[in-house]
C-alpha cells in the first residue's frame, strides 16, 4: 500500500491541477452592433416623429443576424449603406425587403419589427457599381462606424430615419 500512495499521487496531482487551471480556453461571445435610428441623423436631417433601432450579431464567419424595429408609416425599403456619420454612401445590404426584392410600401403603420433575417456573403452588394465586398469587410466597416442603417419611406425617398452602426 505504501508503494501505491506515491504512485497515486504522481498521477492524481497533475490531473487535479489541470482541472483547476485557468488556462483552458473559453468561448468568445459573438460580436454585436446596434444602431439608433432617427430623422435627425439623415443627411440632410428630416423632421419626423418616426424612430427605430437595429441590432446585429455575428454568426461565426458565415453570417450576421439582424433585426430592424421601427415606429413609422409608409416604409418602402431599408438598407445598410457605407459611410461615416454625416456622409451619404452607397447601398451595401438590403434589409427590407430582404435580399433586394422590389421595394414596396408597407401597408399601415409599423410599430415593432420591420425586418429580420441573416446577412450572408451573397446579400452584400457592390457600392457605386463596384464588385460586392466581403462579409469580413462589412464587419470592419461596422466596427469602425463607417456603415449605417437607412429606412426609406414614400414620404422621404432618400430616407426618413438613419443611424450609424456601432459596437
Amino acid at each position: 500500500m505504501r508503494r501505491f500512495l506515491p504512485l497515486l499521487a504522481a498521477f492524481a496531482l497533475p490531473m487535479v491541477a489541470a482541472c483547476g487551471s485557468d488556462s483552458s480556453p473559453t468561448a468568445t461571445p459573438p460580436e454585436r452592433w446596434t444602431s439608433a435610428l432617427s430623422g435627425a441623423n439623415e443627411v440632410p436631417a428630416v423632421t419626423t416623429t418616426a424612430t427605430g433601432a437595429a441590432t446585429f450579431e455575428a454568426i461565426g464567419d458565415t453570417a450576421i443576424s439582424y433585426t430592424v424595429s421601427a415606429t413609422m408609416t409608409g416604409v418602402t425599403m431599408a438598407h445598410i449603406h457605407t459611410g461615416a456619420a454625416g456622409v451619404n454612401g452607397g447601398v451595401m445590404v438590403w434589409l427590407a425587403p430582404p435580399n433586394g426584392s422590389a421595394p414596396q410600401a408597407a401597408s399601415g403603420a409599423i410599430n415593432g419589427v420591420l425586418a429580420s433575417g441573416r446577412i450572408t456573403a451573397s446579400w452584400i452588394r457592390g457600392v457605386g457599381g463596384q464588385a460586392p465586398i466581403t462579409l469580413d469587410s462589412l464587419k470592419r466597416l461596422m466596427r469602425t462606424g463607417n456603415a449605417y442603417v437607412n429606412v426609406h419611406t414614400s414620404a422621404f425617398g432618400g430616407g426618413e430615419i438613419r443611424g450609424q452602426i456601432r459596437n
Side-chain angles (χ1 to χ4, degrees):
M1 182 68 140
R2 285 188 191 159
R3 284 191 225 169
F4 180 69
L5 287 176
L7 188 58
L8 179 62
F11 286 106
L13 285 177
M15 291 174 76
V16 170
C19 290
S21 171
D22 288 334
S23 64
S24 61
T26 57
T28 303
E31 192 166 12
R32 292 184 173 96
W33 301 270
T34 60
S35 179
L37 311 173
S38 75
N41 295 331
E42 284 291 342
V43 179
V46 301
T47 302
T48 180
T49 59
T51 59
T55 59
F56 302 89
E57 182 176 307
I59 303 170
D61 295 332
T62 60
I64 299 170
S65 68
Y66 71 91
T67 300
V68 180
S69 300
T71 301
M72 60 194 313
T73 59
V75 173
T76 57
M77 57 191 143
H79 309 103
I80 296 176
H81 293 252
T82 183
V87 178
N88 288 324
V91 172
M92 291 188 293
V93 179
W94 282 76
L95 301 173
N99 203 14
S101 15
Q104 60 186 50
S107 58
I110 294 173
N111 188 14
V113 175
L114 166 66
S116 64
R118 288 186 176 198
I119 300 164
T120 61
S122 65
W123 278 35
I124 303 171
R125 309 288 180 187
V127 176
Q130 299 173 10
I133 65 169
T134 65
L135 196 59
D136 284 340
S137 296
L138 175 61
K139 288 178 186 179
R140 266 194 302 281
L141 290 169
M142 292 167 67
R143 284 181 197 118
T144 60
N146 288 304
Y148 62 92
V149 174
N150 199 14
V151 180
H152 304 260
T153 62
S154 49
F156 295 94
E160 186 166 344
I161 56 175
R162 167 184 167 156
Q164 292 303 119
I165 300 171
R166 308 221 186 260
N167 283 80

